[in-house]
Amino acid sequence: MSDSLKVAVLQSHLYWEDATKNRQAFTQKIEALQEPVNIIILPEMFTTGFTMNATSVAETMDGETMTWMKQLSSKTKSAIMGSFVVSEQGNFYNRLVFMMPDGSHSTYDKRHTFTLAGEHKMYTAGTKKEVITYRGWKLCPQICYDLRFPVWSRNVENYDVLIYVANWPKPRINAWDALLKARAIENMSYCISVNRVGEDGNGHEYPGHSAVYDALGEKIDTIENNIEQSAIITLYKDHLHKYRQKLNFLNDRDSFSLEV
């Protein structure tokens, strides 16, 4: 168990549907980090960009990206997380993998597929919310469009950190900013978001706006918008304990059952 958690946020351009180039680029970015960290967070579909061409880019769970994550996590002694396109038992998934230095991993399949882009037609939606325990911290990973649905992220598990990886486009970036802050406040948790920058193969622009909020909704990062940037932020358990004990808002949360 650790009283602090050092997290690297990698806000990056993505090469369109070119997994080899993206893995090479992220290897360089990770090796260039100025200090050791506990967790490295990559964007949604970090090997391809947000593509509906699943049949041409999908990998298996023993493919090159899993091997790359396992090797790099072992080398850096950091957990590495991000989503990529996975083919499994005849279905495609927008799957987040949380790879640990010992080679073990957890996964989360995007629950809310983005119907506006037809993601629901190509990808199978996940059915299970995940809370991952790592170094004594409880982490809840989610993906992009999940951000718009607060019931799915409601902190009924007493998690410490809510994490969103995304390809969230420029026209709706105000919603991204507002909802991230709200998710931190309503769940009394840290909220970390990693969005890509640049333009994808469909001409959509992405402005970044990656951010880290504390349990009161205060932004605690120094990440700039519209540029590639790697930032390292330290989270503290004392912050969560102090405000959860002082304010006790989570004690008054509504009880509900969730059907998926």
mmCIF file of all heavy atoms in Angstrom, residues 5 17 29 36 47 62 87 107 119-120 125 130 134 141 150 156 209 222 260:
data_model
loop_
_atom_site.group_PDB
_atom_site.id
_atom_site.type_symbol
_atom_site.label_atom_id
_atom_site.label_comp_id
_atom_site.label_asym_id
_atom_site.label_seq_id
_atom_site.Cartn_x
_atom_site.Cartn_y
_atom_site.Cartn_z
ATOM 1 N N LEU A 5 0.532 8.239 -5.097
ATOM 2 C CA LEU A 5 0.545 7.546 -6.384
ATOM 3 C C LEU A 5 1.007 8.535 -7.440
ATOM 4 O O LEU A 5 0.402 9.595 -7.615
ATOM 5 C CB LEU A 5 -0.857 7.033 -6.718
ATOM 6 C CG LEU A 5 -0.981 5.979 -7.817
ATOM 7 C CD1 LEU A 5 -0.380 4.656 -7.360
ATOM 8 C CD2 LEU A 5 -2.445 5.781 -8.202
ATOM 9 N N GLU A 17 -4.489 4.515 -37.749
ATOM 10 C CA GLU A 17 -4.525 3.077 -38.030
ATOM 11 C C GLU A 17 -3.137 2.481 -38.282
ATOM 12 O O GLU A 17 -2.980 1.568 -39.091
ATOM 13 C CB GLU A 17 -5.462 2.800 -39.218
ATOM 14 C CG GLU A 17 -6.901 3.208 -38.944
ATOM 15 C CD GLU A 17 -7.847 2.890 -40.095
ATOM 16 O OE1 GLU A 17 -7.372 2.462 -41.167
ATOM 17 O OE2 GLU A 17 -9.070 3.067 -39.928
ATOM 18 N N LYS A 29 8.141 8.314 -25.868
ATOM 19 C CA LYS A 29 7.575 9.227 -24.872
ATOM 20 C C LYS A 29 7.735 8.668 -23.458
ATOM 21 O O LYS A 29 8.048 9.408 -22.513
ATOM 22 C CB LYS A 29 6.095 9.478 -25.171
ATOM 23 C CG LYS A 29 5.845 10.331 -26.409
ATOM 24 C CD LYS A 29 4.349 10.493 -26.661
ATOM 25 C CE LYS A 29 4.070 11.482 -27.790
ATOM 26 N NZ LYS A 29 4.532 10.975 -29.104
ATOM 27 N N PRO A 36 10.712 8.185 -12.385
ATOM 28 C CA PRO A 36 9.893 6.969 -12.310
ATOM 29 C C PRO A 36 8.469 7.303 -11.879
ATOM 30 O O PRO A 36 8.248 8.221 -11.087
ATOM 31 C CB PRO A 36 10.607 6.135 -11.244
ATOM 32 C CG PRO A 36 11.983 6.710 -11.145
ATOM 33 C CD PRO A 36 11.848 8.162 -11.449
ATOM 34 N N THR A 47 -3.427 2.780 -30.328
ATOM 35 C CA THR A 47 -2.652 2.205 -31.433
ATOM 36 C C THR A 47 -3.164 2.616 -32.808
ATOM 37 O O THR A 47 -2.471 2.402 -33.808
ATOM 38 C CB THR A 47 -2.643 0.658 -31.370
ATOM 39 O OG1 THR A 47 -3.985 0.188 -31.459
ATOM 40 C CG2 THR A 47 -1.999 0.164 -30.090
ATOM 41 N N ASP A 62 -3.274 -11.895 -27.284
ATOM 42 C CA ASP A 62 -1.874 -12.329 -27.246
ATOM 43 C C ASP A 62 -1.108 -11.739 -28.430
ATOM 44 O O ASP A 62 -0.095 -12.290 -28.869
ATOM 45 C CB ASP A 62 -1.767 -13.858 -27.226
ATOM 46 C CG ASP A 62 -2.431 -14.517 -28.435
ATOM 47 O OD1 ASP A 62 -3.009 -13.786 -29.284
ATOM 48 O OD2 ASP A 62 -2.367 -15.755 -28.529
ATOM 49 N N SER A 87 -10.125 -8.227 -30.976
ATOM 50 C CA SER A 87 -11.022 -9.226 -31.564
ATOM 51 C C SER A 87 -11.035 -10.448 -30.656
ATOM 52 O O SER A 87 -9.979 -10.990 -30.307
ATOM 53 C CB SER A 87 -10.532 -9.625 -32.961
ATOM 54 O OG SER A 87 -11.317 -10.667 -33.485
ATOM 55 N N THR A 107 -8.834 -5.880 -17.464
ATOM 56 C CA THR A 107 -9.412 -5.272 -18.664
ATOM 57 C C THR A 107 -10.755 -4.632 -18.348
ATOM 58 O O THR A 107 -11.437 -5.011 -17.380
ATOM 59 C CB THR A 107 -9.617 -6.315 -19.778
ATOM 60 O OG1 THR A 107 -10.566 -7.295 -19.345
ATOM 61 C CG2 THR A 107 -8.299 -6.983 -20.148
ATOM 62 N N GLU A 119 -20.301 3.431 -33.511
ATOM 63 C CA GLU A 119 -19.455 2.488 -32.775
ATOM 64 C C GLU A 119 -20.258 1.267 -32.321
ATOM 65 O O GLU A 119 -19.728 0.150 -32.262
ATOM 66 C CB GLU A 119 -18.816 3.184 -31.565
ATOM 67 C CG GLU A 119 -17.785 2.332 -30.839
ATOM 68 C CD GLU A 119 -17.149 3.032 -29.647
ATOM 69 O OE1 GLU A 119 -17.644 4.099 -29.224
ATOM 70 O OE2 GLU A 119 -16.138 2.511 -29.126
ATOM 71 N N HIS A 120 -21.536 1.468 -32.007
ATOM 72 C CA HIS A 120 -22.380 0.365 -31.545
ATOM 73 C C HIS A 120 -22.616 -0.693 -32.621
ATOM 74 O O HIS A 120 -22.955 -1.836 -32.313
ATOM 75 C CB HIS A 120 -23.733 0.916 -31.059
ATOM 76 C CG HIS A 120 -24.556 1.573 -32.125
ATOM 77 N ND1 HIS A 120 -24.119 2.682 -32.829
ATOM 78 C CD2 HIS A 120 -25.788 1.261 -32.635
ATOM 79 C CE1 HIS A 120 -25.039 3.036 -33.704
ATOM 80 N NE2 HIS A 120 -26.050 2.196 -33.615
ATOM 81 N N ALA A 125 -20.577 -3.796 -26.769
ATOM 82 C CA ALA A 125 -20.478 -3.017 -25.531
ATOM 83 C C ALA A 125 -20.135 -3.913 -24.351
ATOM 84 O O ALA A 125 -20.570 -5.074 -24.273
ATOM 85 C CB ALA A 125 -21.790 -2.297 -25.268
ATOM 86 N N GLU A 130 -15.442 -1.997 -13.854
ATOM 87 C CA GLU A 130 -14.229 -2.547 -13.248
ATOM 88 C C GLU A 130 -13.662 -1.582 -12.213
ATOM 89 O O GLU A 130 -13.635 -0.365 -12.430
ATOM 90 C CB GLU A 130 -13.161 -2.809 -14.307
ATOM 91 C CG GLU A 130 -13.489 -3.920 -15.275
ATOM 92 C CD GLU A 130 -13.463 -5.292 -14.630
ATOM 93 O OE1 GLU A 130 -12.799 -5.451 -13.580
ATOM 94 O OE2 GLU A 130 -14.107 -6.197 -15.173
ATOM 95 N N TYR A 134 -4.521 -1.389 -7.085
ATOM 96 C CA TYR A 134 -3.098 -1.360 -7.436
ATOM 97 C C TYR A 134 -2.352 -0.487 -6.434
ATOM 98 O O TYR A 134 -2.733 0.654 -6.204
ATOM 99 C CB TYR A 134 -2.918 -0.809 -8.853
ATOM 100 C CG TYR A 134 -1.478 -0.849 -9.350
ATOM 101 C CD1 TYR A 134 -0.842 -2.068 -9.565
ATOM 102 C CD2 TYR A 134 -0.772 0.323 -9.582
ATOM 103 C CE1 TYR A 134 0.472 -2.124 -10.005
ATOM 104 C CE2 TYR A 134 0.547 0.282 -10.031
ATOM 105 C CZ TYR A 134 1.165 -0.947 -10.239
ATOM 106 O OH TYR A 134 2.470 -0.993 -10.672
ATOM 107 N N PRO A 141 -11.439 2.536 -14.186
ATOM 108 C CA PRO A 141 -11.170 2.980 -15.555
ATOM 109 C C PRO A 141 -12.440 3.020 -16.400
ATOM 110 O O PRO A 141 -13.264 2.105 -16.342
ATOM 111 C CB PRO A 141 -10.202 1.912 -16.068
ATOM 112 C CG PRO A 141 -10.642 0.670 -15.366
ATOM 113 C CD PRO A 141 -11.138 1.105 -14.004
ATOM 114 N N PRO A 150 -23.448 9.404 -15.706
ATOM 115 C CA PRO A 150 -22.966 9.412 -14.326
ATOM 116 C C PRO A 150 -23.377 8.207 -13.489
ATOM 117 O O PRO A 150 -22.682 7.874 -12.525
ATOM 118 C CB PRO A 150 -23.553 10.710 -13.749
ATOM 119 C CG PRO A 150 -24.724 11.027 -14.612
ATOM 120 C CD PRO A 150 -24.345 10.549 -15.982
ATOM 121 N N VAL A 156 -19.969 3.723 -5.841
ATOM 122 C CA VAL A 156 -20.552 2.832 -4.840
ATOM 123 C C VAL A 156 -19.504 1.860 -4.291
ATOM 124 O O VAL A 156 -19.772 1.132 -3.329
ATOM 125 C CB VAL A 156 -21.752 2.053 -5.420
ATOM 126 C CG1 VAL A 156 -22.872 3.004 -5.797
ATOM 127 C CG2 VAL A 156 -21.336 1.217 -6.627
ATOM 128 N N HIS A 209 -7.005 18.822 -23.689
ATOM 129 C CA HIS A 209 -7.750 19.129 -22.460
ATOM 130 C C HIS A 209 -7.676 17.965 -21.472
ATOM 131 O O HIS A 209 -8.601 17.773 -20.662
ATOM 132 C CB HIS A 209 -9.200 19.484 -22.763
ATOM 133 C CG HIS A 209 -9.396 20.831 -23.384
ATOM 134 N ND1 HIS A 209 -10.249 21.791 -22.880
ATOM 135 C CD2 HIS A 209 -8.839 21.400 -24.478
ATOM 136 C CE1 HIS A 209 -10.221 22.877 -23.639
ATOM 137 N NE2 HIS A 209 -9.361 22.672 -24.619
ATOM 138 N N THR A 222 -0.851 20.723 -14.807
ATOM 139 C CA THR A 222 -0.317 21.845 -15.594
ATOM 140 C C THR A 222 -0.266 21.466 -17.071
ATOM 141 O O THR A 222 0.615 21.892 -17.801
ATOM 142 C CB THR A 222 1.087 22.229 -15.102
ATOM 143 O OG1 THR A 222 1.940 21.067 -15.176
ATOM 144 C CG2 THR A 222 1.050 22.727 -13.666
ATOM 145 N N VAL A 260 -27.789 -3.912 -16.938
ATOM 146 C CA VAL A 260 -27.053 -3.677 -18.183
ATOM 147 C C VAL A 260 -27.460 -4.727 -19.211
ATOM 148 O O VAL A 260 -28.041 -5.747 -18.890
ATOM 149 C CB VAL A 260 -25.537 -3.723 -17.949
ATOM 150 C CG1 VAL A 260 -25.113 -2.592 -17.044
ATOM 151 C CG2 VAL A 260 -25.104 -5.061 -17.359
#
